[in-house]
Amino acid sequence: MYQRKKRRPVAEINVVPYIDVMLVLLIIFMATAPLITHGVKVDLPKMEESDLVDTKDTPPIIASIDAQGKYYVSIGTDPEEPIEALDVAAVIKLQLMKNPETPVMIKGSGKVSYQEVLLLMDFLKNAGVPSVGLMTESFEGSKG
C-alpha cells in the first residue's frame, strides 16, 4: 500500500495580503494628499491701540519695509533714506549693544509680501535681537 509522507507545516508568512493592504493605503493617501495641502485665506485683524511695549524710557527701534521692498531703520526719529537688509541688521545690532533693553519693532507695508517680513525677522534674529514686535494700524471701527 502506498504510504503518504507526513508533511511538515510551512512556517512562512504569506505576504501577498499585506502587499494588497499597503497598495490600497497608498492609493487612499495619494488621493487625499492634494486635498490637505490647500491653504486657507485668512484676513488678519487690525488691533486697537495697546500698551504692550512700554516705550517711555527708550524709544523703540523700528525696522520698516515700504511697498517697493526698501528697508528703513528709525531709532526714535523718522527714517530718512533706504538701506540694505544686512545694514538694517548691523545698525540694530549696534544700537542693542549700546542699550540691550531697547524694543525692536517691524513695520511692514500691507502691500509687502509675507516672505519679505520673514526675511527681515531672520536678519534680525541672526543679528542677535532677542524678540521682535510687529506693528499694526489702529482702527476706529468699534469705538463708540
Side-chain angles (χ1 to χ4, degrees):
M1 200 184 246
Y2 182 78
Q3 208 177 29
R4 281 184 98 182
K5 292 183 179 179
K6 289 187 179 180
R7 281 197 196 181
R8 281 197 233 155
V10 178
E12 294 177 7
I13 296 176
N14 189 1
V15 294
V16 175
Y18 297 115
I19 293 173
D20 291 342
V21 170
M22 292 301 290
L23 289 175
V24 169
L25 288 174
L26 178 67
I27 291 170
I28 290 171
F29 288 132
M30 286 174 52
T32 58
L35 301 176
I36 296 172
T37 59
H38 289 294
V40 176
K41 183 178 178 186
V42 176
D43 292 326
L44 297 176
K46 294 183 178 184
M47 294 179 57
E48 293 183 27
E49 291 183 19
S50 65
D51 296 326
L52 293 176
V53 178
D54 187 15
T55 59
K56 293 176 185 171
D57 298 334
T58 58
I61 301 170
I62 300 173
S64 305
I65 307 173
D66 66 3
Q68 288 78 31
K70 296 178 183 173
Y71 297 98
Y72 300 88
V73 173
S74 62
I75 304 165
T77 60
D78 291 332
E80 294 185 12
E81 58 185 59
I83 59 176
E84 295 294 318
L86 292 174
D87 295 334
V88 169
V91 167
I92 292 175
K93 186 175 185 175
L94 286 174
Q95 286 297 323
L96 287 177
M97 290 171 99
K98 293 178 188 176
N99 187 0
E101 298 299 317
T102 306
V104 179
M105 306 292 283
I106 292 180
K107 180 180 179 182
S109 170
K111 296 179 181 176
V112 173
S113 73
Y114 187 63
Q115 180 67 33
E116 291 192 41
V117 175
L118 289 178
L119 281 173
L120 181 58
M121 289 176 76
D122 190 46
F123 283 132
L124 295 177
K125 184 184 105 181
N126 290 336
V129 177
S131 66
V132 176
L134 296 175
M135 297 180 75
T136 61
E137 290 182 7
S138 63
F139 68 97
E140 290 108 27
S142 64
K143 290 185 177 180

